[in-house]
């Protein structure tokens, strides 16, 4: 009996992950480009850029997981999962700080 990792059925979820990752990658690039075209004085410009970067990272990670699963490369799947988890933690902290800045609330550095 084959596991989901090695079965022929893996092509469908692996392709779905890869296509979803490519879509997130495109959305992240679009958000980043929109942020870079925004006026310098726009509140939340940096937050928009950070959110676009987060989607770009998720997209690259999903593509790595999907292709790694299809090609049977466990290291690629593990790298995609680890990268997505670690970068999501980092960008969440930065996005929180940028949200504080965009809302005009003082941060810890102002205290």
């Amino acid at each position: 009996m084959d596991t989901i990792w090695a079965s022929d059925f893996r092509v469908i979820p692996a392709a779905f992950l890869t296509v979803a990752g490519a879509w997130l990658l495109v959305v992240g690039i679009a958000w980043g480009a929109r942020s870079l075209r925004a006026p310098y004085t726009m509140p939340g410009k940096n937050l928009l850029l950070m959110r676009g970067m987060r989607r770009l990272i998720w997209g690259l990670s999903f593509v790595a997981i999907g292709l790694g699963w299809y090609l049977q490369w466990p290291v690629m799947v593990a790298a995609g999962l680890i990268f997505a988890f670690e970068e999501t933690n980092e960008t969440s902290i930065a996005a929180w700080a940028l949200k504080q800045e965009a809302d005009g609330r003082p941060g810890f550095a102002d205290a």
Side-chain angles (χ1 to χ4, degrees):
M1 180 173 167
D2 285 337
T3 63
I4 188 73
W5 172 257
S7 74
D8 291 334
F9 174 73
R10 76 178 188 275
V11 173
I12 296 168
F16 176 76
L17 276 174
T18 305
V19 169
W23 174 251
L24 282 172
L25 187 93
V26 169
V27 169
I29 291 171
W31 280 27
R34 193 173 87 189
S35 169
L36 292 174
R37 285 193 313 262
Y40 179 73
T41 57
M42 180 184 109
K45 175 180 175 158
N46 295 331
L47 178 61
L48 183 63
L49 185 61
M50 180 61 68
R51 287 181 175 169
M53 188 180 97
R54 181 186 293 175
R55 277 158 185 79
L56 185 135
I57 290 168
W58 286 347
L60 287 173
S61 297
F62 281 14
V63 168
I65 294 166
L67 288 178
W69 189 6
Y70 175 73
L71 297 171
Q72 300 288 288
W73 293 351
V75 172
M76 191 172 184
V77 173
L81 288 169
I82 291 168
F83 190 70
F85 176 74
E86 189 257 333
E87 289 298 325
T88 299
N89 285 337
E90 288 182 17
T91 57
S92 294
I93 294 166
W96 177 83
L98 291 170
K99 176 99 171 96
Q100 301 294 317
E101 177 190 52
D103 292 344
R105 288 184 260 170
F108 291 109
D110 296 334

